[in-house]
Amino acid sequence: MLRVYCLLAGITEFPHPSNSSNISVLAELDWIQAFGAHIWYICDYQANLGEILSVYSDTWHSDQKPNTKQGVPRPSPPTVDKLINPNLAVSSVKDYPISEETEGPNREIKFRDWPRDTAYHLLQLCRKQFHSLQRTLDPCSFSRRSSSSCVLNRDNLLDWAMSWHLWRFLVSYGYHHFYDDFYEDFSEISTRVCNEFATQLEAAGLWEWSVFVLLHIDCEKTREASVKCLIGRHVSLVLPSGLLNNSNKNSSSCLSDIDFMSHKISLLPTPSLTKPESFVVNRLGVPVHWIHEAKV
């Protein structure tokens, strides 16, 4: 009850009644609840969303006890179980890196080397347009494996579906300033997201949808080369029946092979396209000569 009164008063900590430690009002909450507490109780009512997010970000960055029950909730991705059942209790993470304890030349990188929730990245993206798009689209930011660990779930690196759809949403929603100010970086990120998701679809046997994904690559040369390589791996090859019937015969000389190829094989009409090839040409607008070039 005391924590509730402190929260209503806008106080985030109060001294413990029996020892010298402080009790955090935000302890044992998830980060969205903690951020909501900043919106409703802690920050000034005239503050905008960006200012409130900045206060919350400074709060958890400066927290010296993130791996205890009194730590300020950090914006970790939700666990898979939490996504399925949002009513599950919040578990404390035990292995957040602490800035003062991180050693080595890449100390700052090691301190930041844990995934943040995608929702947190989107809020940061609304606050500042130069926020890292690569971290926003990181597939490890959508969920994590263990409720007690902040370590990234490497299994997520096999699934880029959500990253690709989120990227397309950001582009269609008007985030074209990436093209203006950070074109090279954005082009590199978008190419990787497209290639990863296209590979995932191709492995699932949906190569025609892989073409659809690759057509969203920004660089024209890269886009054309990627689509042509993909088509070359999956087009159907139709051999003349004469070649099939004589493929196992042993020819006496190279001259007889040439004679066979020039006289015994009659030219066949161009074979019709398969259903996936027709989809790629008719629905996706891929030039039909790309298909025929791959069949040669």
Side-chain angles (χ1 to χ4, degrees), residues 97-198:
I98 301 176
S99 180
E100 287 71 13
E101 298 178 0
T102 306
E103 300 178 353
N106 298 322
R107 170 180 170 180
E108 182 64 23
I109 296 178
K110 291 180 180 179
F111 173 66
R112 293 168 55 89
D113 191 21
W114 55 275
R116 275 69 159 169
D117 194 341
T118 303
Y120 178 78
H121 286 302
L122 292 176
L123 289 172
Q124 290 285 8
L125 197 59
C126 292
R127 185 172 74 94
K128 51 183 181 181
Q129 68 179 41
F130 52 86
H131 181 70
S132 173
L133 189 65
Q134 185 171 356
R135 301 192 74 189
T136 304
L137 299 177
D138 185 355
C140 294
S141 296
F142 291 98
S143 65
R144 56 191 168 99
R145 181 184 309 167
S146 173
S147 60
S148 60
S149 175
C150 70
V151 178
L152 58 84
N153 185 2
R154 298 190 181 276
D155 292 340
N156 288 2
L157 295 175
L158 301 176
D159 186 2
W160 287 76
M162 296 182 69
S163 297
W164 187 84
H165 285 89
L166 177 59
W167 166 63
R168 293 310 306 164
F169 170 80
L170 291 175
V171 173
S172 63
Y173 206 69
Y175 282 84
H176 298 292
H177 53 267
F178 290 116
Y179 290 99
D180 298 333
D181 300 330
F182 307 99
Y183 180 78
E184 293 182 358
D185 183 52
F186 186 84
S187 178
E188 179 182 350
I189 295 171
S190 62
T191 300
R192 183 192 177 190
V193 173
C194 287
N195 285 332
E196 295 283 1
F197 188 34

